[in-house]
Amino acid sequence: MNHYTKFAGRFAVLLHELQGRQAVVIGHQRPDGDCIGSQVGLCRVLRSQGIDAVCMNPDPVPRRIKFLIGDTPFFQRDELPAGDRLALFTDCADHGRAGEKVKALYPAPQACFDHHVSNVGFAKRNFVDTGSAATAEVLAGVFLDADIAFDATTAQALYTGIMTDTGQFRFPSTSKRVFQLCAELVARGASPARAGQELFERESVGKLKLLEHYLSSLKFECEGRACIGILPAGIFEQVGATVEDTEGLVDYARSIEGVEVGVLIEERPGMMKASLRATHSSYRIDTVASQFNGGGHANAAGLNYPATLAEFYPQLVAALGRRLAEVDAIRQ
Amino acid sequence: MNHYTKFAGRFAVLLHELQGRQAVVIGHQRPDGDCIGSQVGLCRVLRSQGIDAVCMNPDPVPRRIKFLIGDTPFFQRDELPAGDRLALFTDCADHGRAGEKVKALYPAPQACFDHHVSNVGFAKRNFVDTGSAATAEVLAGVFLDADIAFDATTAQALYTGIMTDTGQFRFPSTSKRVFQLCAELVARGASPARAGQELFERESVGKLKLLEHYLSSLKFECEGRACIGILPAGIFEQVGATVEDTEGLVDYARSIEGVEVGVLIEERPGMMKASLRATHSSYRIDTVASQFNGGGHANAAGLNYPATLAEFYPQLVAALGRRLAEVDAIRQ
């Protein structure tokens, strides 16, 4: 079966070009599961083909996805030993996604593997498929098409990349091919249970306490179309949580039936930090965030605004109300 | 490809036996996604084969999985028009899982489709595969093996059954076959995004309030290896939740790092209802539930036990402690 016919010849040429060379597989800043999974998967396959490849990321690998690395040589940017390595970028929509320093270090990328819609192909050999759910999906398909054998660590890394970038198989990008490739990855040793365990079964008590406080604070505004929860100053110390533990909290507000915009406000001394999530990108919620020095994506935005809660809250509700009215007007 | 070779002949015989007869596809009390998905899937395939089949369940279909039904004839127990229908049970580990009244109405089940480890085969024709993640997985495999065409509503029902009973593809039962079958179901019109939207983006305020109360009640027992939360009597009325809103709550307890068994206790007048979830099937947590009139899967079990909380709680903790000690002994 051919998953990516268009990439087969190109990948054979790339492998040929890399023979006898050193390579570095580079991922983006603040790496996620698809980034690390793709880096590990590509690096291991290159090594299995006799190429001296290592991974490098500008940032540390997050705690919960460290398990993917195994015995893969993985370096943080400034720890990578000097050498003349050809650069392969994974999951980077553009050359600068690994940071300006990395861009300057590797001005002529040899290859790029990605699925982001904004990727215009910044490398010599581009493997960009914007119809794919994950970069790891592209890689798994290319490896299987090329009939390259790979080990369980590689399979686990690619599986986890697909699983995280499909939102656990819930995003619209979750295709027949996604499931076909996952079947092949499981056959080669990927463990869905292990991925689930490492990513979602290692919650801290502090995180659940934070969730409890967030839920207890939820209020409906804009006739129930917006739902806002507040984490008061000092809550992190009180429950033993860290700022990373806020990840995913705002989704609870957004997931309530009838709610179109969910908001998480973190109260800080003299500063309001807020995360906004809309149910659809048509809400252009970044235009609300930009009214408070913020920005972001059309359905996921954030802001830091110097104000007290008493000042900020009514302003935010008013801005949300205006935006919802605009959305209504566009729809009519 | 043959997914369930052992069932192929038996299924052909069943279809033959049902020709010209009326059939009723029965699911269990308090139905979940796999129950309703299996009922809908089996019923629709029987109807496509010219058999006058309808679905019946002792309880109402939960709000969030109603979307699976489409134009499938689906009745609650007492609304089913009288008739001489052959009974086919899906997702029922034993004859009584649909309630004693249904058991008495249909004393001689024609067939049973299931994946529960405790199912000893109570019907004339049994399609029980305890190595499967879901009853919907068994059905999808049997239908594909038999080369039976089915529509998108059937595919969506079976997909959703598999998705829910694998815990969104995270339980150890998530096999190569699970993904292969999901690929086929997506090819036949199942939408993973629709399933995700209906199941996880339509939360009620009551459910989140219930979650808040559950989180606030969590206590660690057995040296932190068990985590138990309690929903007190009257909480459903207090927060405007229904019993179906308890679904998934116990997973929060189990997901805490270091916790091996999560428990949800619902306090009812004169009755304790509990759900137990272990991080792995090797815990055989059903053997703990069975000490309190309960049962279930090796890693997910439930019970109803006539006692007060003060009587039940220490007994449960002691039983969990004994089981954890047994697990330790087996591992050594």
Side-chain angles (χ1 to χ4, degrees):
Chain A
M1 184 184 308
N2 273 306
H3 301 288
Y4 296 97
T5 313
K6 60 181 174 179
F7 293 150
R10 205 176 301 172
F11 188 62
V13 170
L14 177 67
L15 285 183
H16 182 74
E17 288 173 337
L18 293 174
Q19 287 302 328
R21 299 294 303 267
Q22 289 187 308
V24 56
V25 180
I26 297 169
H28 57 73
Q29 293 171 307
R30 295 197 298 161
D32 56 12
D34 191 28
C35 174
I36 300 297
S38 295
Q39 287 187 264
V40 168
L42 177 57
C43 180
R44 297 182 75 84
V45 160
L46 295 180
R47 293 175 70 85
S48 80
Q49 303 300 302
I51 297 156
D52 173 12
V54 299
C55 294
M56 184 264 274
N57 197 288
D59 288 328
V61 179
R63 174 181 73 96
R64 287 198 283 192
I65 45 181
K66 272 202 178 123
F67 79 102
L68 294 181
I69 293 175
D71 59 357
T72 318
F74 209 110
F75 298 93
Q76 222 178 307
R77 190 190 58 210
D78 300 333
E79 293 164 355
L80 183 68
D84 177 28
R85 295 186 176 271
L86 293 175
L88 296 86
F89 285 71
T90 67
D91 205 40
C92 293
D94 62 66
H95 196 171
R97 274 289 280 128
E100 290 308 311
K101 196 164 173 183
V102 170
K103 184 176 173 179
L105 280 169
Y106 301 97
Q110 186 72 11
C112 162
F113 293 83
D114 191 30
H115 71 120
H116 290 96
V117 73
S118 60
N119 193 322
V120 293
F122 59 87
K124 184 174 172 191
R125 311 277 173 212
N126 294 288
F127 302 82
V128 179
D129 183 76
T130 58
S132 290
T135 299
E137 180 187 357
V138 176
L139 287 168
V142 167
F143 299 158
L144 290 167
D145 290 348
D147 238 339
I148 292 177
F150 51 80
D151 67 4
T153 304
T154 305
Q156 182 75 68
L158 296 173
Y159 174 83
T160 306
I162 295 173
M163 177 231 207
T164 52
D165 247 32
T166 55
Q168 293 188 73
F169 307 101
R170 276 161 49 180
F171 295 160
S173 54
T174 310
S175 64
K176 178 185 177 184
R177 182 179 56 208
V178 160
F179 287 117
Q180 286 175 324
L181 291 172
C182 285
E184 296 300 325
L185 294 172
V186 169
R188 283 160 181 77
S191 164
R194 173 91 196 276
Q197 177 82 20
E198 297 282 350
L199 284 160
F200 304 110
E201 309 278 316
R202 297 182 58 195
E203 297 291 7
S204 66
V205 175
K207 166 137 195 186
L208 293 186
K209 286 281 161 207
L210 214 55
L211 171 58
E212 180 192 332
H213 279 265
Y214 180 65
L215 293 175
S216 74
S217 76
L218 291 180
K219 283 201 172 57
F220 292 93
E221 303 289 353
C222 308
E223 288 150 350
R225 300 173 68 183
C227 182
I228 304 177
I230 300 166
L231 294 178
I235 187 75
F236 294 100
E237 297 75 12
Q238 186 190 322
V239 303
T242 65
V243 284
E244 288 80 47
D245 288 327
T246 58
E247 195 194 319
L249 285 190
V250 66
D251 295 322
Y252 284 88
R254 197 220 48 221
S255 72
I256 296 171
E257 180 144 36
V259 170
E260 295 159 71
V261 182
V263 181
L264 164 68
I265 299 175
E266 289 173 52
E267 218 182 333
R268 295 175 178 189
M271 183 67 78
M272 294 294 110
K273 179 177 156 55
S275 302
L276 289 70
R277 294 289 182 278
T279 49
H280 194 269
S281 52
S282 61
Y283 285 88
R284 285 295 310 273
I285 205 69
D286 55 316
T287 65
V288 175
S290 66
Q291 296 168 45
F292 302 91
N293 305 339
H297 299 283
N299 64 345
L303 62 90
N304 284 284
Y305 189 64
T308 65
L309 184 62
E311 292 159 357
F312 174 64
Y313 193 92
Q315 288 180 48
L316 177 69
V317 170
L320 288 170
R322 286 194 299 273
R323 183 59 202 150
L324 288 169
E326 285 166 12
V327 170
D328 288 345
I330 293 163
R331 282 190 182 153
Q332 276 165 5
Chain B
M1 187 184 305
N2 273 306
H3 301 287
Y4 297 97
T5 314
K6 60 182 176 179
F7 293 150
R10 205 177 302 173
F11 188 62
V13 170
L14 177 67
L15 284 183
H16 181 75
E17 288 173 339
L18 293 174
Q19 287 302 329
R21 299 295 303 268
Q22 289 187 310
V24 56
V25 180
I26 298 170
H28 57 74
Q29 293 170 307
R30 294 187 55 175
D32 56 12
D34 191 29
C35 175
I36 300 298
S38 296
Q39 287 188 262
V40 168
L42 178 57
C43 180
R44 296 183 75 85
V45 161
L46 294 180
R47 293 175 71 84
S48 79
Q49 302 299 303
I51 296 156
D52 173 12
V54 299
C55 294
M56 183 265 274
N57 197 289
D59 288 327
V61 179
R63 176 180 67 95
R64 289 195 289 186
I65 44 181
K66 271 201 179 128
F67 78 103
L68 294 181
I69 292 175
D71 59 357
T72 318
F74 209 111
F75 298 93
Q76 222 177 305
R77 190 189 59 211
D78 299 334
E79 294 163 355
L80 182 69
D84 177 28
R85 294 188 177 270
L86 293 174
L88 295 86
F89 286 71
T90 67
D91 206 39
C92 293
D94 61 68
H95 197 172
R97 274 289 280 129
E100 289 308 311
K101 195 164 173 183
V102 170
K103 184 176 173 179
L105 280 168
Y106 301 98
Q110 187 73 11
C112 161
F113 292 82
D114 191 30
H115 70 121
H116 290 93
V117 73
S118 60
N119 193 321
V120 294
F122 59 87
K124 186 175 171 189
R125 310 278 173 212
N126 295 289
F127 302 81
V128 178
D129 183 76
T130 58
S132 290
T135 299
E137 180 187 357
V138 176
L139 287 168
V142 167
F143 299 158
L144 289 167
D145 289 348
D147 238 338
I148 292 177
F150 50 83
D151 67 2
T153 305
T154 305
Q156 183 76 68
L158 296 174
Y159 175 82
T160 306
I162 295 173
M163 178 231 207
T164 52
D165 247 32
T166 55
Q168 293 188 75
F169 307 100
R170 277 162 48 182
F171 295 160
S173 53
T174 310
S175 63
K176 177 185 178 183
R177 182 179 56 208
V178 160
F179 287 116
Q180 285 175 323
L181 292 172
C182 285
E184 296 300 326
L185 294 171
V186 169
R188 284 160 181 77
S191 164
R194 173 92 197 274
Q197 177 80 22
E198 297 281 353
L199 284 160
F200 303 110
E201 307 278 319
R202 297 183 58 196
E203 297 291 7
S204 67
V205 176
K207 165 135 196 187
L208 293 186
K209 286 282 162 206
L210 216 54
L211 171 58
E212 180 192 333
H213 278 265
Y214 181 64
L215 293 175
S216 73
S217 76
L218 292 180
K219 282 203 172 58
F220 293 92
E221 302 289 353
C222 307
E223 287 148 352
R225 301 173 69 184
C227 181
I228 305 177
I230 300 166
L231 294 177
I235 187 75
F236 294 101
E237 297 75 12
Q238 186 191 321
V239 303
T242 65
V243 285
E244 73 178 69
D245 289 326
T246 59
E247 201 194 317
L249 287 189
V250 65
D251 296 320
Y252 285 88
R254 198 218 46 220
S255 73
I256 297 170
E257 180 143 35
V259 169
E260 295 159 72
V261 181
V263 181
L264 164 68
I265 299 175
E266 290 173 49
E267 218 181 335
R268 296 177 176 186
M271 182 69 77
M272 293 295 110
K273 180 178 156 55
S275 303
L276 288 70
R277 295 289 182 279
T279 49
H280 193 268
S281 53
S282 61
Y283 286 88
R284 282 299 309 275
I285 205 70
D286 57 314
T287 65
V288 175
S290 67
Q291 297 169 45
F292 302 91
N293 306 338
H297 297 283
N299 63 344
L303 61 90
N304 284 284
Y305 189 65
T308 65
L309 185 61
E311 290 159 358
F312 174 64
Y313 193 92
Q315 286 180 48
L316 177 68
V317 170
L320 289 170
R322 285 194 301 272
R323 184 60 201 149
L324 288 170
E326 283 165 14
V327 170
D328 289 344
I330 292 162
R331 281 187 182 157
Q332 277 165 1

